[in-house]
Amino acid sequence: MFLFITQAYDLTQLISNFYSKTYPGLTKIQRVEWNNRGISTVHAIFISALSLYLVFWSNLFSDELAGLLVFRSSPLSTFGLGVSVGYFVSDLAMILWLYPSLGGIEYVIHHSLSGIAVAYSMFTGEAQLYTYMVLISEVTTPEINIRWYLDTAGMKRSTAYLINGIVIFLAWLVARVLLFGYMFYHVYLHYTQVIKMHIFGYILVFGVPAVLATMNLMWFGKIIKGVLKTLAKRQ
């Protein structure tokens, strides 16, 4: 996994040198962040697509199957979580190494909690459904990264920047606000199963999504302000 991340980092750097007019003029730390966001985009596309499939289209976590859904897993679901653990650990290491250039304390908290919860679910097979419900929120990451790229390239006044902001607002509302509400409702409906999990897993199912949901709402407020500010400037 770490070899794949290194290769993705190098590939992003290679492609950017050839096809981006902005990249050669960036500072060293900006180039690191540029490449790092390339890795996070690849991970986000992979894990959000897999999460959507497992949660909504696969029958792995269907109520119609026998057995408790909080203990269900498959080789594919476990593999996907392994990929995410590798990403969160490596990205957290980069954030700490260059702190606070790649992100402040909120990113450290987010990656630490996410890494612990995903790793626990991967190794124990518990609550993989709820882990993947939370990981669907990674669908917003490519849009956030594109916004940073546009900003770095001096395109804040472009139509693409405005459209990107609207897409971020809609994606964030669905994947990081409404979907978290749905997850908590699902936990409520299946509480008799959740209570049978190990106490540590039980705490993670309630604690980690609650913290992340709070952070999502705080960031959502900033997104709304950003969109309104951009629309006001264009008018």
Side-chain angles (χ1 to χ4, degrees):
M1 180 59 201
F2 291 106
L3 177 62
F4 168 77
I5 291 173
T6 302
Q7 291 176 337
Y9 183 94
D10 293 338
L11 183 61
T12 301
Q13 185 176 28
L14 180 64
I15 294 175
S16 299
N17 269 318
F18 275 101
Y19 295 102
S20 174
K21 296 179 180 180
T22 303
Y23 188 80
L26 298 178
T27 63
K28 182 178 180 180
I29 190 63
Q30 284 179 320
R31 290 189 182 191
V32 171
E33 183 164 3
W34 182 290
N35 299 335
N36 211 45
R37 286 180 180 273
I39 297 172
S40 71
T41 298
V42 172
H43 165 262
I45 293 173
F46 166 78
I47 200 62
S48 58
L50 180 61
S51 298
L52 286 168
Y53 166 72
L54 290 174
V55 173
F56 295 112
W57 289 291
S58 168
N59 65 352
L60 177 62
F61 303 113
S62 172
D63 284 321
E64 297 177 359
L65 298 180
L68 303 181
L69 60 82
V70 294
F71 296 117
R72 290 184 201 160
S73 63
S74 71
L76 177 61
S77 66
T78 301
F79 169 77
L81 295 180
V83 172
S84 276
V85 169
Y87 164 72
F88 283 123
V89 171
S90 63
D91 201 47
L92 178 60
M94 288 287 289
I95 292 173
L96 294 175
W97 180 40
L98 298 172
Y99 189 85
S101 299
L102 297 183
I105 188 63
E106 67 274 15
Y107 287 93
V108 175
I109 294 174
H110 176 275
H111 278 40
S112 297
L113 290 177
S114 298
I116 292 172
V118 174
Y120 177 85
S121 188
M122 178 189 70
F123 286 118
T124 65
E126 289 188 1
Q128 289 198 0
L129 169 61
Y130 299 125
T131 303
Y132 274 109
M133 281 187 179
V134 173
L135 285 172
I136 290 175
S137 63
E138 284 294 309
V139 74
T140 62
T141 298
E143 296 90 338
I144 295 294
N145 288 339
I146 290 173
R147 191 170 188 79
W148 183 88
Y149 288 133
L150 292 172
D151 189 5
T152 304
M155 298 176 64
K156 289 189 70 172
R157 294 185 177 275
S158 66
T159 302
Y161 192 83
L162 175 62
I163 294 174
N164 174 263
I166 296 173
V167 172
I168 289 175
F169 169 80
L170 295 175
W172 200 281
L173 175 63
V174 174
R176 290 184 180 263
V177 178
L178 298 180
L179 186 61
F180 271 69
Y182 170 75
M183 194 216 75
F184 287 123
Y185 179 66
H186 195 282
V187 171
Y188 167 75
L189 292 179
H190 297 81
Y191 184 75
T192 55
Q193 296 189 33
V194 175
I195 196 66
K196 296 180 180 179
M197 294 171 53
H198 187 278
I199 183 61
F200 187 69
Y202 177 86
I203 293 173
L204 289 177
V205 165
F206 286 95
V208 173
V211 174
L212 296 181
T214 302
M215 297 174 69
N216 288 339
L217 289 173
M218 293 172 60
W219 281 327
F220 190 53
K222 294 181 179 180
I223 290 171
I224 294 174
K225 290 180 180 179
V227 171
L228 293 177
K229 185 177 181 180
T230 301
L231 290 172
K233 285 183 177 179
R234 293 183 67 87
Q235 291 176 350

